[in-house]
Amino acid sequence: MTSTLDIKIEKTKKSKLSEFDINNVPFGKYFTDHMFVAEYANGKWEKAYIVPYGNVPMSYAMSSIHYGQTIFEGMKAYKDDKGGVALFRPLENWERMNKGAVRMAMPEIPEELFMNGLMELIRLDADWVPASESGSLYIRPFLFSTDEAIGVKISDTFKFAIIASPAGKYYSEPIKVLVETDFFRATRGGVGFVKAGGNYGRSLYPTKLAQQKGYQQILWLDSETNQYFEESGTMNVMFVIGDTVMTPAVSDTILDGITRKSVLALAREWGMKVEERKVSVEEVMTAHANGTLKEVFGVGTAATIAQIIGIGYNGKDYELPPVAERKFSNKIDQTLRDIRKGRIEDKFNWMVKVC
Ligand code: COI
């Protein structure tokens, strides 16, 4: 799929950059000077432009806010130790977004449109990429329907936009998670594998209840048997039991995480045993009881590697091994940072240079 659209660029008259300490900002609250937008109508991508960051002009009847025909991606740009800026595996985001677009009956985005818009935007706003050790520029590509229509139907018009926000850690501390047995994130045949807005909307109420009980996030179970782990909050989940790294296999209820597949690639390269399969609550609790459960952590673009230090299940709290003792996830965290900062060889060619 190709796109020959020229991107019209209107630069901001006054940068907001000096208003922030980009190395010290909360996640996702402040946005860079520019945004990329492409418009779809009449069966094709018609226009693409970069303009100063601003609001969406929209009707109160815009279909995406009523019926949720909206999907998004999360990706990051990093500043290396020499001041260069690179993206982490952006084509993986492009592919995943298009799989989501098909499932949600939305138009796919040509690779050239996605990559050119992204590269131009990040080149223009490169000074917004934090240089701090855990800093990055979080990039949010998203696609949403824009028909002014109350009837439930596939929209004829869409917008694809990319905005960006300087970010530090998503979770500033290791977290405690609650195994959720009453509410479910996804069902078979649904859109659990898609980064669809509704997947996140439906998680907010159960997460609020978990937070009221003192947990930061939820550890979701499968909705059919209630026995197998799926994901945790905003990330995939991994366990180290004995010397094996295990994680739920991706399916139509689980997001095919890019950090997830990067962690597994490194583990395999290091010669570790890796299992992608159904992981049951029972086996993890048994491993906890017999002392073989070494590590539990979340992996995601925003969360990077998020240590899980406690699990609540059926009214009981289970304390997990101290973070300092977690050899695998600490090494993964450091290695991913070293690749992104250009300190070690990028053997898998994950980084895509912007400038
Ligand atoms: C991401 O990790 O990029 C996500 O999309 C999670 C979240 C902030 C919704």
Side-chain angles (χ1 to χ4, degrees):
M1 217 187 323
T2 57
S3 158
T4 50
L5 283 184
D6 282 337
I7 301 173
K8 292 207 175 57
I9 299 180
E10 179 198 331
K11 286 193 192 169
T12 182
K13 293 199 174 57
K14 191 177 175 321
S15 171
K16 298 170 295 183
L17 185 55
S18 61
E19 293 169 26
F20 307 104
D21 171 5
I22 55 167
N23 290 300
N24 192 18
V25 279
F27 181 88
K29 195 161 162 51
Y30 302 110
F31 297 91
T32 63
D33 284 326
H34 300 94
M35 60 185 187
F36 170 77
V37 183
E39 295 184 11
Y40 182 93
N42 303 307
K44 59 182 189 302
W45 289 100
E46 288 195 325
K47 280 191 212 165
Y49 46 92
I50 287 176
V51 285
Y53 177 82
N55 297 335
V56 184
M58 66 177 209
S59 154
Y60 280 89
M62 183 168 78
S63 55
S64 54
I65 55 174
H66 295 267
Y67 304 126
Q69 207 183 10
T70 169
I71 60 174
F72 69 91
E73 275 300 319
M75 61 196 296
K76 281 179 173 173
Y78 294 87
K79 191 162 274 179
D80 67 26
D81 287 345
K82 293 185 188 128
V85 169
L87 296 157
F88 186 73
R89 310 190 74 177
L91 283 171
E92 297 282 339
N93 294 91
W94 167 70
E95 270 178 30
R96 187 171 65 185
M97 186 156 211
N98 278 346
K99 282 187 192 146
V102 170
R103 174 63 180 84
M104 298 291 287
M106 303 169 92
E108 289 176 68
I109 299 157
E111 177 180 343
E112 217 182 307
L113 182 63
F114 187 96
M115 286 307 291
N116 290 353
L118 180 63
M119 294 299 255
E120 286 288 346
L121 178 70
I122 305 307
R123 217 171 274 138
L124 206 55
D125 284 344
D127 289 345
W128 286 81
V129 184
S132 61
E133 195 56 23
S134 53
S136 61
L137 186 69
Y138 183 79
I139 302 165
R140 170 55 59 89
F142 55 113
L143 172 63
F144 57 102
S145 64
T146 54
D147 275 11
E148 186 174 29
I150 290 292
V152 181
K153 69 168 189 69
I154 297 173
S155 186
D156 292 319
T157 61
F158 293 87
K159 276 190 176 164
F160 167 56
I162 308 178
I163 56 175
S165 170
K169 288 191 162 168
Y170 192 82
Y171 297 109
S172 52
E173 299 288 338
I175 59 172
K176 275 172 63 183
V177 297
L178 178 68
V179 178
E180 178 59 65
T181 50
D182 292 327
F183 299 100
F184 299 95
R185 176 187 171 276
T187 50
R188 263 187 60 196
V191 295
F193 68 102
V194 178
K195 285 187 86 71
N199 286 340
Y200 296 79
R202 68 186 276 175
S203 74
L204 296 175
Y205 176 67
T207 305
K208 178 179 93 169
L209 298 184
Q211 286 170 348
Q212 284 168 352
K213 292 182 194 149
Y215 304 93
Q216 285 74 40
Q217 270 300 346
I218 280 176
L219 203 41
W220 297 106
L221 297 181
D222 77 287
S223 65
E224 279 185 49
T225 69
N226 251 330
Q227 287 177 38
Y228 299 101
F229 290 116
E230 299 228 306
E231 298 186 17
S232 178
T234 58
M235 50 204 182
N236 295 108
V237 66
M238 293 197 177
F239 305 87
V240 179
I241 298 184
D243 58 0
T244 304
V245 183
M246 46 186 91
T247 189
V250 289
S251 69
D252 60 356
T253 59
I254 296 178
L255 192 81
D256 188 4
I258 296 159
T259 311
R260 176 190 179 281
K261 59 175 85 161
S262 308
V263 170
L264 298 181
L266 286 170
R268 289 190 171 109
E269 212 226 343
W270 296 341
M272 294 204 50
K273 280 189 227 153
V274 172
E275 293 180 6
E276 292 178 75
R277 60 169 173 80
K278 284 176 186 277
V279 180
S280 71
V281 184
E282 195 192 332
E283 74 180 299
V284 169
M285 290 307 165
T286 305
H288 179 269
N290 66 27
T292 54
L293 178 62
K294 306 286 182 213
E295 311 186 27
V296 183
F297 54 97
V299 298
T301 298
T304 60
I305 305 296
Q307 296 292 354
I308 295 175
I309 47 160
I311 296 183
Y313 179 54
N314 274 348
K316 271 198 189 162
D317 275 325
Y318 298 84
E319 201 182 316
L320 301 173
V323 172
E325 288 173 14
R326 302 178 176 199
K327 287 202 189 111
F328 176 70
S329 47
N330 285 327
K331 186 174 167 195
I332 282 283
D333 199 16
Q334 188 62 47
T335 305
L336 283 174
R337 206 164 324 125
D338 288 344
I339 293 172
R340 290 158 171 167
K341 290 276 175 194
R343 293 174 188 146
I344 60 172
E345 191 194 345
D346 173 19
K347 284 190 192 159
F348 296 97
N349 292 319
W350 283 339
M351 304 309 292
V352 173
K353 186 101 185 137
V354 178
C355 55

